[in-house]
Amino acid sequence: MNQPTVSFLARHEFLIRRLHSLTGIVPIGVFLCIHLAVNASVIEDVTAFQKAVYQIHSLGGLLPFVEWALIFLPILFHGILGVLILLGGSSNTGDYPYAENYRYLLQRATGLIAGLFILWHVFHMHGWFHFRWWIDGIAAPLGGALFRPFHAASTAGAALQNGYVTTLYLIGILASVFHLANGLWTAGITWGIWTSPNAQKKIWRFCAAFGIILAAIGTSALFGMRHAGKSETFETIQGIENRMYEIRVELGDIRSSEDKRS
Amino acid sequence: MTTSGKPASFEVRILRQDAPGEPSRWERFRVPYETDMNVISVLQKIAANPRTIDGRDVAPVAWESNCLEEVCGACTMVINGRVRQACSALVDQLLADRPGEIELRPMSKFPVYRDLVVDRQRLFRSLVRVRAWLPIDDYSDRGPGPRQSQAEQEQAYPLTECMSCGCCLEACPQFQKVDLSEYGEGTSDEQRNAAFDRSFLGAHAISQAMLFNGHPIGKTSAAERLDALMAEGGIQVCGNAQNCVAVCPKEIPLTTSIARAGRATTIHTIKKFFDH
Amino acid sequence: MFQQRVLIVGGGLAGLAASMKLAELGVQTSVMSLTPVKRSHSVCAQGGINSVNELTRQEGDSEWLHLDDTVYGGDFLQHQPPVKEMVDWGPRIIDLMDRLGVPFNRTPEGFRDQRRFGGTLHKRTAFAGATTGQQLLYALDEQVRRWQSAGRIAMVEGWDFLGPILDDQGRCRGAVAQNLITMEIRPFPADVVVLATGGCGLIFGRSTMSMASTGSAASRAVQAGARYANGEFIQVHPTAIPGADKLRLMSESARGEGGRVWVPRTPQDPRPPRDIPENERYYFLEERYPTYGNLVPRDIATREIFDICVNDGLSVDPEKPCVYLDLTHIPRDELDRKLGGILRIYEKFQGVDPREVPMKIFPAVHYSMGGLWVDYERSASGGLAKGSPKTHQTNIPGLYAIGECDYHYHGANRLGANSLLSCIFSGLFVAPGIQSMLGSLSDSASDAKYDPLMQSAQADHQKSHDKWLQRDIGGDNPYLIHLELGQIMTSAATVVRHNRTITEAIEKVNELAERAKKCSLSDRGNWTNQNVIFTKALIDMFPLAKAILHGALARDECRGAHYKPEFDMPGIESDDPAERHRQAEEWCTKFEEKNKKWLKTTIAVLDGKGEPSLGYEEVDISLIPPRPRLYGLVGAEIIEEVWKEQHAH
């Protein structure tokens, strides 16, 4: 046969698609849950949130590798393949206005929105790359890299004070949550876990509930963070964060760092 | 349902195309209303008197049909925007849904030969791809087939009702038309099949693969069918829009077949990984 | 080495059974069909397929009794050796179809389930829901696809058979066909051509048959010199759903499961059927045939329903003739379980739920018992000789016919669920015979020496096709001519036949045939021109229509589906025992005289002008001697008694 002319993608289409489905849940879906839950902890207690950030940053030099391997690369893979999948379909909800068909369309739309949002979000908060020259020369002047790990809540909150930014975050979070909840449902079909229409209906209700809860958590995180960054609370929170920093430096948990900029 | 006020006549709008590669155009016909009409009898009326609403004599509309009782699948077309069989599309119901006019188009996922006649060879090629048959030894007398429970028969029977009409493919947002024009005039069967084999199988073929994999004799060659389902254009292309099951005129549980195929290929992949 | 090839025309049950068997035997085979073979008319068969089985055997059933039921039901008009062979193969055919994956309904223990059909006392009918024909066809379609992908079978789908190619010796060397899309006309050299092209229902306009069942292929063979046998025997199914485009079958199983046929005693009672009280309903089948009730044989039920509407004026609908077929007294869930498939068809096409409202039904042309005359070779045991090249060959050497388009097996009336058996049987059985026929040939139709023959055949058909396209406009409309033909044929040659109407019909059909030859096309293009394909098929309906009418006119008797009231033999009315006995003796004598004269195959051949001339041939009744067919006849007991006295030796 004409084996050589068949592209790598085509030859491994099945495995690649399954990997796409898998990465959507592990690690990306799991990460999304943790990310939103950790961020939502800001509502309860700023210190709890800051503690979690310290925990993450305790990885030190390993953190970028972990981030790339478990978060960025999977998202990039999932996103790029997602775009290819999106290009391979053509929605027809006009002629076939069925619930599942709308969800097919929404899955693609939310995927696209979530992908763009994540790109921007990572730039907005982290500036994409950690190279000094990039952050100072390019990311910061363009309004990115606003997050400071040792002032987690206050810097994140400050970055969310603009109403447009908040709206975009809200759209991005809800799109991501829908994409995950509905994607969980389709993944179950793809992997053959729920097969009958009855089971699929039941699981859909479960996925919808999961999505609503996760959306609530995500929204709380967003508005909690926004609240933390408001001018009336900002100083107080920075004070808490400064104290936590100093204690940790004293204990030798962390080294005094240039990242501690306020 | 019909209302008491039945029209004296109604308009039929047909998307026509003279031949492959030719531009398409709408033509409108006025058809006198009669009781018990279906879209086939509408097309027969137009064939007997092919004159458009503006008085032009035109060639009769070409369409495919055979059994006229929705078991052969031939007369599939897009009627008022939805793919279905022309024979079971009753005029009374169509006019109740959209008064005054009926719109007919050829299926959009297959190349048009002429008017409402399309080339559905790809659909049958998919059946070859998934080896949709039982590999029995011979046609000699070897006694009855394997005994089967009522439950097994009741699971298989709905899948065997698939008449290869193509509704599930037309409505599928993941099933795209295969463009053969790059091969030019004399596309060989090999070229055409190679192009088909790279494209999406479609719900009907996935369901047939599961039908045969569920049969005691078919099980012996289940691995081959699963390999076919996992090849390029296989089950992974499915996007779970589930239009297939919504438009299937035989109400075949296509999405159940797809999910079962998903499970079978999952297990098959793991087995292959560890057993080879 | 030369490469021989068999061309099968028609991809229904018979054609596909033959091609898969030939492929297994290693013969290169092509299958030509108007439609993708999966869309063939065989899919319309609903009820099931007959064969003796382990269960009926325990009730005393046997192949012999299946043979007896078939020839008795067929009024003894069929040759018996082919029927004997067929019923002997029955159990093996069901087993084979079972192995091919046909989802036959199962008993709780997992055996194949069977139901009872008309014309027998035994539950011989295996079934797959209400779509048995579809399931059987798909199983064969799958096997043919398997051979196709192995390169043993070539599919020639979307081609219209225009006629056989005969060499100087009159031997068939292939066929000319036309592509329905490109309109290309080309020869298909073949060493054996097998016609498996089904029935000719479209000659009657609307019928239960599919749009491809024009009979044109058989007609084209007849026009090339093939003989057409028993054309006048057309089965009219008692229960069909009248429609504007087609009369859709409502299976016999609806009555088998308890359906009752009735009309209101008041003509065209305007009340909804369920408001009409029991005592104002006329259950005419139950009243007239107390023993058989609604399950009288097809020809009788058909005549009674026709009679009640046409002669008694009791049709339930003032605008069209129809009677009620009532299932509303049966619980819903039971109906869904047993008859779901066919009830959905009614609901879909009539927009009325037959579980709530009685169905409106009327008889419709359903099956052609007659067809191309084909030979057979009898074996010593009374069946068919294995591997004989004679069996199923027409009078044109190298041209075979199988399935509904041949005339074997069903005589004057077909029993329900026997047609699927005869189609698959003839397809499977003919294959080894064809193989031995190929072995006896010393060359191949694809040899260069036959090129001129092929080219001239192609050129002839091309010329006549081109002429059609160059026709002037303004002549008759072929679709309207078809409508007229259907009306004439339906009124003259279906349920009840009168010599006067048939004679008139012959005149009208002759005149219509002339008009048809001169009709014009509304499409004169040369791409997917369905107008010209239909018109050519229409032209070819006429020779068969004439053969049917002439056969019916000549046959002055009643036999099976052929019913002429003038020649009916009434039952015994007298109450006096001696007189009854005398009348019965007279009846039996008349019956024997009638058989002496008419127990013969009608054979039509076309003369030089294309008009049919009739001849008759003896029927092989060597296995089961004919006896009176007495379903529902008044005085049947006394006739049977006398008949037994006379034949007790």
Side-chain angles (χ1 to χ4, degrees):
Chain A
M1 285 287 285
N2 40 1
Q3 203 65 6
T5 62
V6 178
S7 70
F8 177 86
L9 264 162
R11 253 182 300 140
H12 300 288
E13 193 181 48
F14 179 81
L15 285 176
I16 291 169
R17 289 287 185 100
R18 282 294 173 97
L19 199 59
H20 178 253
S21 171
L22 185 67
T23 53
I25 297 168
V26 181
I28 302 170
V30 173
F31 170 73
L32 179 65
C33 294
I34 295 172
H35 185 50
L36 293 180
V38 167
N39 288 10
S41 68
V42 78
I43 292 186
E44 202 189 329
D45 183 2
V46 178
T47 50
F49 176 59
Q50 187 61 47
K51 255 189 230 161
V53 176
Y54 276 122
Q55 210 148 27
I56 292 163
H57 280 259
S58 64
L59 288 168
L62 227 52
L63 184 61
F65 293 101
V66 173
E67 279 178 337
W68 277 94
L70 290 184
I71 305 169
F72 300 143
L73 283 179
I75 290 180
L76 276 177
F77 168 78
H78 191 87
I80 291 167
L81 204 75
V83 171
L84 291 179
I85 292 174
L86 192 124
L87 294 175
S90 53
S91 178
N92 53 11
T93 48
D95 284 334
Y96 304 99
Y98 313 128
E100 288 79 6
N101 199 20
Y102 277 115
R103 296 220 293 269
Y104 166 91
L105 175 62
L106 277 177
Q107 184 69 0
R108 276 143 189 78
T110 55
L112 194 63
I113 293 168
L116 293 172
F117 168 71
I118 290 164
L119 271 179
W120 172 66
H121 166 57
V122 174
F123 181 79
H124 182 227
M125 289 296 177
H126 300 278
W128 285 356
F129 307 107
H130 291 295
F131 310 114
R132 196 78 279 158
W133 62 268
W134 167 267
I135 298 274
D136 293 342
I138 297 168
L142 287 173
L146 295 175
F147 179 74
R148 298 288 175 278
F150 300 148
H151 285 289
S154 56
T155 53
L160 293 170
Q161 291 310 303
N162 182 315
Y164 293 111
V165 170
T166 310
T167 311
L168 288 180
Y169 264 74
L170 186 64
I171 292 171
I173 290 167
L174 293 181
S176 306
V177 168
F178 177 90
H179 193 77
L180 174 62
N182 189 56
L184 206 59
W185 182 75
T186 60
I189 300 172
T190 301
W191 293 83
I193 301 167
W194 31 90
T195 58
S196 73
N198 254 342
Q200 291 175 9
K201 213 171 279 168
K202 262 187 277 177
I203 296 291
W204 166 246
R205 280 189 222 119
F206 170 81
C207 289
F210 164 74
I212 290 165
I213 293 168
L214 194 60
I217 294 172
T219 315
S220 317
L222 173 63
F223 287 99
M225 211 62 87
R226 185 177 147 94
H227 180 76
K230 280 203 173 121
S231 48
E232 55 267 35
T233 46
F234 185 78
E235 294 294 329
T236 333
I237 290 172
Q238 281 239 323
I240 298 170
E241 286 163 353
N242 276 335
R243 245 176 295 134
M244 287 178 76
Y245 173 73
E246 280 151 20
I247 292 167
R248 280 182 190 239
V249 171
E250 260 172 51
L251 287 172
D253 281 355
I254 53 168
R255 273 175 293 148
S256 159
S257 158
E258 265 193 59
D259 280 341
K260 169 76 178 74
R261 293 171 294 166
S262 47
Chain B
M1 288 283 71
T2 60
T3 52
S4 53
K6 280 169 182 162
S9 68
F10 54 91
E11 200 174 307
V12 183
R13 218 153 63 92
I14 303 177
L15 187 62
R16 304 197 58 177
Q17 182 177 337
D18 291 337
E22 300 285 320
S24 59
R25 63 180 187 282
W26 288 101
E27 271 177 12
R28 307 159 87 89
F29 300 87
R30 184 154 286 284
V31 176
Y33 174 88
E34 284 170 22
T35 51
D36 293 339
M37 281 180 116
N38 58 6
V39 169
I40 294 288
S41 56
V42 168
L43 286 165
Q44 285 173 340
K45 286 245 177 311
I46 293 174
N49 182 21
R51 179 169 292 172
T52 62
I53 231 161
D54 42 12
R56 274 181 310 121
D57 286 320
V58 293
V61 179
W63 82 94
E64 265 188 283
S65 69
N66 198 32
C67 78
L68 307 192
E69 50 191 71
E70 210 192 61
V71 274
C72 82
C75 65
T76 312
M77 57 184 72
V78 179
I79 300 169
N80 282 357
R82 189 172 177 278
V83 66
R84 57 188 300 185
Q85 276 71 50
C87 63
S88 56
L90 306 184
V91 166
D92 282 344
Q93 282 167 9
L94 293 174
L95 291 180
D97 294 345
R98 193 198 279 193
E101 187 197 68
I102 292 171
E103 180 199 282
L104 307 179
R105 278 185 276 146
M107 283 198 271
S108 64
K109 302 291 175 73
F110 300 96
V112 172
Y113 279 137
R114 183 176 181 179
D115 297 339
L116 303 171
V117 182
V118 296
D119 171 9
R120 279 178 277 180
Q121 284 184 76
R122 175 177 168 199
L123 195 156
F124 293 106
R125 176 67 193 174
S126 293
L127 297 180
V128 177
R129 284 165 72 185
V130 300
R131 310 176 75 77
W133 54 72
L134 290 183
I136 67 164
D137 288 350
D138 52 45
Y139 307 133
S140 314
D141 178 24
R142 289 175 182 274
R147 237 204 254 181
Q148 270 182 297
S149 68
Q150 278 183 335
E152 284 169 309
Q153 194 270 347
E154 279 160 21
Q155 186 171 44
Y157 183 73
L159 307 193
T160 61
E161 285 195 288
C162 173
M163 56 187 179
S164 302
C165 66
C167 283
C168 58
L169 309 178
E170 174 70 15
C172 173
Q174 290 292 96
F175 190 88
Q176 307 301 334
K177 187 170 174 174
V178 169
D179 186 13
L180 292 170
S181 59
E182 59 173 298
Y183 299 106
E185 267 289 291
T187 313
S188 72
D189 287 359
E190 286 72 28
Q191 285 173 321
R192 200 193 55 217
N193 285 343
F196 288 164
D197 291 354
R198 286 197 298 273
S199 63
F200 184 31
L201 280 168
H204 77 297
I206 295 170
S207 186
Q208 288 295 298
M210 294 322 287
L211 166 67
F212 290 101
N213 278 7
H215 189 278
I217 299 173
K219 278 194 180 104
T220 57
S221 49
E224 288 173 31
R225 285 188 206 93
L226 294 177
D227 285 338
L229 288 182
M230 291 160 57
E232 189 184 3
I235 185 169
Q236 64 275 7
V237 182
C238 172
N240 294 307
Q242 304 206 333
N243 287 351
C244 51
V245 77
V247 299
C248 177
K250 296 284 129 182
E251 294 166 28
I252 298 168
L254 293 166
T255 48
T256 310
S257 287
I258 289 171
R260 285 175 53 229
R263 178 182 292 177
T265 48
T266 304
I267 294 165
H268 185 59
T269 311
I270 296 169
K271 263 197 186 156
K272 257 169 88 168
F273 188 79
F274 288 110
D275 289 357
H276 284 273
Chain C
M1 251 317 270
F2 53 82
Q3 179 70 67
Q4 289 176 323
R5 178 168 283 280
V6 173
L7 173 67
I8 312 255
V9 183
L13 283 176
L16 295 188
S19 42
M20 89 178 185
K21 188 66 191 173
L22 282 167
E24 184 182 62
L25 294 172
V27 177
Q28 285 292 334
T29 305
S30 302
V31 181
M32 178 183 287
S33 168
L34 289 164
T35 63
V37 294
K38 202 176 174 178
R39 312 206 191 289
S40 301
H41 175 61
S42 303
V43 293
C44 291
Q46 295 170 346
I49 176 166
N50 285 340
S51 109
V52 175
N53 53 67
E54 291 319 309
L55 223 61
T56 63
R57 261 185 233 288
Q58 293 170 43
E59 304 164 350
D61 191 21
S62 64
E63 280 81 354
W64 189 262
L65 285 181
H66 188 184
L67 163 68
D68 188 86
D69 281 341
T70 305
V71 297
Y72 181 65
D75 231 347
F76 296 90
L77 195 65
Q78 62 271 69
H79 298 298
Q80 294 178 358
V83 184
K84 178 174 189 300
E85 193 67 34
M86 173 180 82
V87 298
D88 284 349
W89 274 57
R92 275 174 276 163
I93 285 175
I94 310 282
D95 281 350
L96 175 61
M97 297 316 292
D98 189 11
R99 280 169 62 216
L100 289 178
V102 173
F104 287 115
N105 277 47
R106 299 282 161 170
T107 65
E109 200 182 330
F111 294 107
R112 291 187 302 250
D113 202 0
Q114 275 97 18
R115 60 163 64 128
R116 207 184 118 192
F117 247 65
T120 178
L121 297 169
H122 299 289
K123 276 186 162 184
R124 285 201 197 107
T125 310
F127 61 102
T131 59
T132 314
Q134 183 188 34
Q135 300 309 328
L136 295 172
L137 183 77
Y138 289 0
L140 299 182
D141 172 66
E142 287 148 18
Q143 293 303 312
V144 166
R145 187 166 292 109
R146 177 185 174 198
W147 288 111
Q148 183 199 359
S149 75
R152 198 74 70 74
I153 291 180
M155 299 308 287
V156 191
E157 289 167 322
W159 288 77
D160 187 17
F161 169 85
L162 295 181
I165 300 173
L166 307 188
D167 66 13
D168 300 341
Q169 277 78 50
R171 185 171 211 297
C172 181
R173 296 287 180 182
V176 180
Q178 179 162 30
N179 188 294
L180 298 177
I181 301 298
T182 64
M183 308 311 282
E184 177 194 359
I185 291 173
R186 79 170 179 87
F188 289 82
D191 302 283
V192 163
V193 174
V194 184
L195 293 183
T197 53
C200 55
L202 257 71
I203 290 177
F204 293 83
R206 292 174 302 159
S207 69
T208 67
M209 286 192 223
S210 297
M211 300 308 284
S213 308
T214 61
S216 62
S219 170
R220 287 161 192 172
V222 170
Q223 290 172 63
R227 307 158 81 193
Y228 198 73
N230 286 346
E232 66 268 33
F233 291 93
I234 299 285
Q235 181 166 74
V236 181
H237 195 285
T239 57
I241 313 162
D245 54 336
K246 186 191 183 180
L247 312 171
R248 295 176 181 87
L249 182 64
M250 177 45 59
S251 169
E252 197 164 293
S253 46
R255 280 171 293 139
E257 302 293 351
R260 301 178 75 186
V261 176
W262 63 278
V263 289
R265 289 193 190 272
T266 320
Q268 287 89 53
D269 195 322
R271 286 174 290 180
R274 291 190 88 175
D275 294 348
I276 298 175
E278 237 3 64
N279 62 357
E280 290 180 45
R281 298 178 178 192
Y282 185 15
Y283 293 97
F284 54 98
L285 286 179
E286 294 170 33
E287 281 188 29
R288 294 180 187 179
Y289 300 89
T291 333
Y292 291 85
N294 293 291
L295 271 175
V296 284
R298 284 183 179 177
D299 52 339
I300 294 169
T302 295
R303 281 198 283 280
E304 292 296 348
I305 294 171
F306 185 84
D307 193 51
I308 211 97
C309 295
V310 177
N311 298 328
D312 299 345
L314 286 174
S315 168
V316 301
D317 192 323
E319 283 169 27
K320 58 179 186 219
C322 53
V323 301
Y324 289 130
L325 171 54
D326 197 342
L327 292 165
T328 57
H329 55 286
I330 302 170
R332 255 189 116 83
D333 57 325
E334 191 182 331
L335 287 177
D336 282 334
R337 206 172 55 245
K338 292 180 175 167
L339 299 169
I342 51 174
L343 298 187
R344 270 198 297 278
I345 289 186
Y346 187 87
E347 203 169 2
K348 220 161 203 171
F349 286 93
Q350 297 302 101
V352 175
D353 183 357
R355 303 165 195 85
E356 298 294 330
V357 182
M359 295 185 277
K360 289 181 183 176
I361 55 99
F362 193 70
V365 167
H366 182 53
Y367 190 89
S368 168
M369 273 75 71
L372 291 167
W373 179 91
V374 288
D375 206 353
Y376 66 91
E377 189 176 326
R378 194 182 195 279
S379 72
S381 62
L384 294 177
K386 305 256 174 296
S388 163
K390 271 174 76 178
T391 300
H392 275 282
Q393 186 171 227
T394 65
N395 55 308
I396 297 174
L399 182 67
Y400 287 71
I402 53 176
E404 189 177 344
C405 82
D406 79 53
Y407 86 115
H408 277 323
Y409 308 108
H410 306 299
N413 174 55
R414 177 175 69 76
L415 289 192
N418 257 358
S419 57
L420 298 183
L421 181 63
S422 67
C423 286
I424 298 174
F425 166 73
S426 59
L428 292 176
F429 192 83
V430 80
I434 289 174
Q435 194 186 27
S436 52
M437 163 61 77
L438 292 177
S440 72
L441 298 175
S442 55
D443 60 2
S444 155
S446 57
D447 293 347
K449 67 173 175 178
Y450 290 111
D451 287 354
L453 177 68
M454 301 294 154
Q455 284 154 12
S456 80
Q458 189 265 346
D460 287 349
H461 284 284
Q462 187 70 54
K463 215 160 86 190
S464 86
H465 174 72
D466 293 345
K467 267 195 192 152
W468 270 110
L469 297 185
Q470 288 151 14
R471 277 293 173 80
D472 289 334
I473 48 172
D476 268 306
N477 183 328
Y479 298 102
L480 301 182
I481 289 186
H482 179 233
L483 219 63
E484 264 185 75
L485 174 67
Q487 282 158 359
I488 297 168
M489 293 300 290
T490 304
S491 64
T494 50
V495 185
V496 179
R497 297 165 172 186
H498 299 278
N499 281 341
R500 195 171 43 79
T501 26
I502 299 174
T503 314
E504 283 167 17
I506 290 175
E507 263 173 52
K508 284 190 216 159
V509 166
N510 285 343
E511 182 248 346
L512 206 56
E514 291 310 309
R515 275 168 56 201
K517 280 184 202 154
K518 286 183 239 141
C519 69
S520 355
L521 303 180
S522 46
D523 185 359
R524 300 198 288 171
N526 208 24
W527 181 266
T528 323
N529 185 337
Q530 297 180 330
N531 196 216
V532 69
I533 297 285
F534 175 80
T535 306
K536 285 198 243 183
L538 171 70
I539 298 290
D540 292 324
M541 287 181 198
F542 285 98
L544 293 195
K546 289 176 185 177
I548 292 168
L549 291 173
H550 283 274
L553 180 64
R555 188 175 282 275
D556 280 338
E557 66 157 348
C558 295
R559 188 176 296 277
H562 173 73
Y563 178 71
K564 279 186 179 173
E566 299 150 68
F567 301 92
D568 197 11
M569 289 169 54
I572 312 296
E573 302 277 2
S574 172
D575 290 331
D576 173 57
E579 175 61 12
R580 273 171 75 79
H581 199 273
R582 196 196 58 76
Q583 283 183 5
E585 276 175 357
E586 210 176 274
W587 197 99
C588 290
T589 315
K590 251 174 90 182
F591 176 75
E592 292 204 78
E593 279 167 11
K594 174 182 103 108
N595 274 351
K596 208 174 278 169
K597 187 156 183 218
W598 287 116
L599 186 51
K600 289 192 173 76
T601 306
T602 311
I603 292 174
V605 289
L606 295 189
D607 63 17
K609 288 187 220 137
E611 295 301 318
S613 63
L614 302 181
Y616 293 89
E617 196 178 77
E618 289 302 322
V619 179
D620 183 336
I621 45 168
S622 55
L623 302 175
I624 296 176
R627 62 179 189 274
R629 193 167 171 263
L630 297 168
Y631 303 107
L633 192 71
V634 183
E637 326 74 51
I638 182 72
I639 295 174
E640 202 177 345
E641 199 185 305
V642 169
W643 180 264
K644 277 188 182 146
E645 281 166 26
Q646 292 178 348
H647 293 80
H649 27 249

